[in-house]
Amino acid sequence: MFSVAFVNPEVYTNVGLDKREALAQVKASDHRREIMRTGAKRLTDFLDDIGVLRGVGRRLWRSSGLLA
């Protein structure tokens, strides 16, 4: 949820881009994934330290791109 909640998809339409194509490129962007992961690092480190990132939760965070 966090990884998609930061940008309203309508911004792409507002600047004249095809929203579907722009979103596809955003989702495929290695740079974006790295920036998101870097931004979430303190939180994911904390959650890992206290034992929250286990099992299904860990897989969900990893699939979101926020956890390496």
Side-chain angles (χ1 to χ4, degrees), residues 13-34:
T13 305
N14 293 344
V15 296
L17 298 173
D18 178 82
K19 182 168 66 172
R20 287 185 187 200
E21 177 61 27
L23 286 171
Q25 290 203 21
V26 165
K27 290 178 183 177
S29 170
D30 290 335
H31 175 71
R32 176 186 174 273
R33 197 172 297 116
E34 183 61 31

Side-chain angles (χ1 to χ4, degrees), residues 1-58:
M1 178 172 154
F2 291 114
S3 63
V4 296
F6 293 117
V7 175
N8 180 341
E10 294 306 315
V11 299
Y12 304 117
T13 305
N14 293 344
V15 296
L17 298 173
D18 178 82
K19 182 168 66 172
R20 287 185 187 200
E21 177 61 27
L23 286 171
Q25 290 203 21
V26 165
K27 290 178 183 177
S29 170
D30 290 335
H31 175 71
R32 176 186 174 273
R33 197 172 297 116
E34 183 61 31
I35 294 299
M36 294 293 291
R37 194 175 296 132
T38 300
K41 185 166 178 24
R42 287 181 56 193
L43 175 60
T44 55
D45 285 351
F46 170 72
L47 294 175
D48 202 19
D49 285 347
I50 64 172
V52 174
L53 289 179
R54 296 183 182 174
V56 174
R58 187 174 201 82

